[in-house]
Amino acid sequence: MICEAPPRKRRKEARPSELTAAALGLFVEKGFAATRLEEVALRAGVSKGTLYLYFDSKEALFKAVIQEGIIPVVAEAEAIAARHAGSAFDLLERLLENWWARIGETDFAGIPKLMIAEARNFPEIAQFYYENVIRRGRALVGAALERGMASGEFRRMDIETTIEVIIAPLLMLLIWRFSMGSCQSKQADPRQYLAIHMDILRQGLQHPRV
Amino acid sequence: MICEAPPRKRRKEARPSELTAAALGLFVEKGFAATRLEEVALRAGVSKGTLYLYFDSKEALFKAVIQEGIIPVVAEAEAIAARHAGSAFDLLERLLENWWARIGETDFAGIPKLMIAEARNFPEIAQFYYENVIRRGRALVGAALERGMASGEFRRMDIETTIEVIIAPLLMLLIWRFSMGSCQSKQADPRQYLAIHMDILRQGLQHPRV
DNA sequence: TAATTTACTGACTGAAAAGTCATTAAGCAT
DNA sequence: ATGCTTAATGACTTTTCAGTCAGTAAATTA
């Protein structure tokens, strides 16, 4: 059997995003150091040399993966918060729903695991991610909490810590999917997971009964 | 200045645990693939050749790191649950406290991040960890929840999902410390974090007000 | 159709790190 | 002390992979 190489195509515009998409998948799956650039290129349907036409180095590729992924989503969440009218809990719920729809159900879902695994090896990229995604995401949740506490809808608690406790289960849901998730047969249903989390929060953030 | 090599010492008994301790630290910090065995040996005060006297390969070293770390702690938690007498929420609280004292405040604290980052690359080790740590840990929390629901202390919710929502913030606390933690100046106080989490849970798991 | 440009290729290079082994010396036995 | 066993060493070999570059062919222009 003769395997001919597939015909070359010249597609200057499409290459960078095809390459970052392939790289994201492999980085999430195997980690940055364990991913071979040849494999990234292969998955993008291109040769290794082509990869170096568009990215100076492996680290530059990583930086591009992170930068192009997630920042538009944060901006969108800020817009949602800005024009929200209902209760504070309602806003929380909408933020988390949106986050799930825009991250959890897309290819970006692997970014949190990737960022967590590599933060120490790439402090500059971690810093960028922290400033542009984490800090802004937390600020949104924090503002919702403050509003709810000011209006009497929520009881008073330490804001910074409560933010983390609220966000943690969402992050774990994704992290799990790309790590130990393959060990268990039936994956928890994300929608139900979110519902129960919000349910506990709805009641847990209230003023205690007298 | 003349740097003499420090004198050799023969310490067959102590080597394996010194090596796994050094390896754990570096694996957590840099990831498995990015850690050089020469650096592991150096940190353990030994040469690379010595490392290979005790471990057949880099992967064997990784396996040893995971196996020796955390299983005794799970067994201890099971003992605590077995002899517990008070309320179900009290048991939950004691389990989480114990977990924090035995994992969160020890050198094992990095294991969850390590396991999450490498699970996909070492499915066999991940499976072992899942069966011996995760499944058993979850079973404990699940039993406490069931007891509380049976006695009427908690409202009825899907057990499996609730377990995850309860555990997630604890895992994130550790994962954070070994990843993005270095990006923010003031780290959240773990004790306060746990207190708020338990506080939300105490109220969130109750029967709703009528 | 021929000439020109440039996106693309893949064999090659050098460096870095895993893994090996002949040699050395610490500690024990006599 | 002297010889013996074996833990420990570090220079060496092998493998792997990021990064390079001379050449190829797809598109575009004349």
Side-chain angles (χ1 to χ4, degrees):
Chain A
M1 164 175 141
I2 296 166
C3 290
E4 288 186 36
R8 288 188 186 180
K9 283 279 145 63
R10 290 159 59 105
R11 302 173 54 240
K12 186 180 165 63
E13 307 305 323
R15 293 298 186 216
S17 61
E18 288 170 356
L19 284 163
T20 51
L24 172 58
L26 284 162
F27 287 165
V28 170
E29 202 173 299
K30 309 161 86 99
F32 177 82
T35 296
R36 271 164 297 127
L37 288 187
E38 196 134 29
E39 208 178 347
V40 173
L42 185 73
R43 186 177 284 200
V46 118
S47 76
K48 189 159 62 138
T50 300
L51 197 160
Y52 277 91
L53 291 178
Y54 295 99
F55 301 96
D56 287 344
S57 66
K58 197 180 182 185
E59 181 165 349
L61 176 62
F62 180 51
K63 199 179 287 193
V65 164
I66 296 300
Q67 292 198 355
E68 89 172 21
I70 224 166
I71 284 158
V73 181
V74 178
E76 189 183 352
E78 283 166 345
I80 288 179
R83 67 174 121 78
H84 182 79
S87 74
F89 185 82
D90 218 52
L91 173 54
L92 271 186
E93 211 161 22
R94 294 209 41 183
L95 286 174
L96 300 200
E97 280 285 341
N98 180 257
W99 178 86
W100 180 252
R102 295 313 181 111
I103 306 287
E105 290 179 338
T106 70
D107 288 341
F108 302 144
I111 288 184
K113 181 209 160 180
L114 175 57
M115 213 46 253
I116 277 165
E118 305 298 342
R120 286 245 171 127
N121 291 330
F122 302 95
E124 183 212 331
I125 298 175
Q127 190 66 37
F128 173 86
Y129 187 79
Y130 182 76
E131 298 295 346
N132 292 281
V133 180
I134 296 173
R135 189 196 290 288
R136 283 161 71 185
R138 280 192 181 160
L140 287 172
V141 174
L145 283 176
E146 257 161 17
R147 236 178 69 181
M149 291 184 195
S151 73
E153 183 181 348
F154 301 149
R155 56 183 165 137
R156 294 225 164 262
M157 310 173 82
D158 177 76
I159 301 252
E160 288 305 313
T161 312
T162 308
I163 293 170
E164 302 207 29
V165 174
I166 291 175
I167 292 176
L170 303 183
L171 289 175
M172 275 310 298
L173 182 57
L174 293 190
I175 289 169
W176 199 258
R177 190 200 302 167
F178 294 101
S179 56
M180 304 294 306
S182 30
C183 288
Q184 52 189 345
S185 43
K186 62 169 167 61
Q187 192 78 329
D189 172 45
R191 289 282 166 194
Q192 183 185 29
Y193 182 97
L194 292 180
I196 289 195
H197 180 43
M198 293 311 292
D199 201 22
I200 291 177
L201 282 183
R202 178 183 297 111
Q203 195 167 306
L205 292 174
Q206 283 176 357
H207 287 276
R209 333 182 184 191
V210 278
Chain B
M1 165 176 138
I2 296 165
C3 290
E4 288 185 35
R8 291 187 186 179
K9 282 280 146 65
R10 290 157 63 103
R11 302 173 52 240
K12 185 180 164 66
E13 306 305 324
R15 293 297 185 219
S17 61
E18 288 170 358
L19 285 163
T20 50
L24 172 57
L26 285 163
F27 287 164
V28 170
E29 201 174 302
K30 310 160 85 101
F32 177 82
T35 296
R36 274 162 295 126
L37 288 188
E38 197 132 29
E39 207 178 348
V40 173
L42 185 72
R43 186 177 282 200
V46 118
S47 76
K48 188 164 57 142
T50 299
L51 197 159
Y52 277 93
L53 290 179
Y54 295 99
F55 301 97
D56 287 345
S57 66
K58 196 181 182 185
E59 180 166 353
L61 175 63
F62 179 52
K63 198 181 288 193
V65 164
I66 296 300
Q67 293 199 357
E68 89 171 21
I70 225 165
I71 285 158
V73 181
V74 178
E76 190 182 354
E78 284 167 346
I80 288 179
R83 68 173 121 79
H84 181 79
S87 75
F89 186 81
D90 218 50
L91 173 54
L92 271 187
E93 210 159 23
R94 291 209 42 180
L95 285 174
L96 301 200
E97 282 283 343
N98 181 257
W99 179 85
W100 180 250
R102 294 314 183 109
I103 305 288
E105 290 179 339
T106 70
D107 288 342
F108 302 143
I111 287 183
K113 180 208 160 179
L114 174 58
M115 210 49 252
I116 278 166
E118 306 296 343
R120 287 242 169 130
N121 290 331
F122 303 95
E124 184 211 331
I125 299 176
Q127 191 66 37
F128 173 86
Y129 187 81
Y130 182 76
E131 298 295 346
N132 292 280
V133 180
I134 295 172
R135 191 196 289 287
R136 284 161 70 185
R138 279 192 180 160
L140 287 172
V141 174
L145 283 176
E146 258 162 17
R147 237 177 69 182
M149 290 183 195
S151 73
E153 184 182 346
F154 300 150
R155 56 183 165 136
R156 295 221 165 266
M157 309 173 83
D158 178 75
I159 300 251
E160 287 306 312
T161 313
T162 309
I163 293 170
E164 301 208 30
V165 173
I166 291 176
I167 291 176
L170 303 184
L171 288 175
M172 276 310 298
L173 183 56
L174 293 190
I175 289 168
W176 199 258
R177 191 200 302 166
F178 293 100
S179 57
M180 304 294 303
S182 32
C183 288
Q184 52 188 341
S185 43
K186 63 171 162 69
Q187 191 76 330
D189 172 45
R191 290 282 164 192
Q192 182 184 31
Y193 181 97
L194 291 181
I196 288 193
H197 180 43
M198 293 311 293
D199 201 23
I200 291 177
L201 282 183
R202 177 182 298 113
Q203 194 167 306
L205 292 174
Q206 283 177 356
H207 287 278
R209 331 180 185 194
V210 278

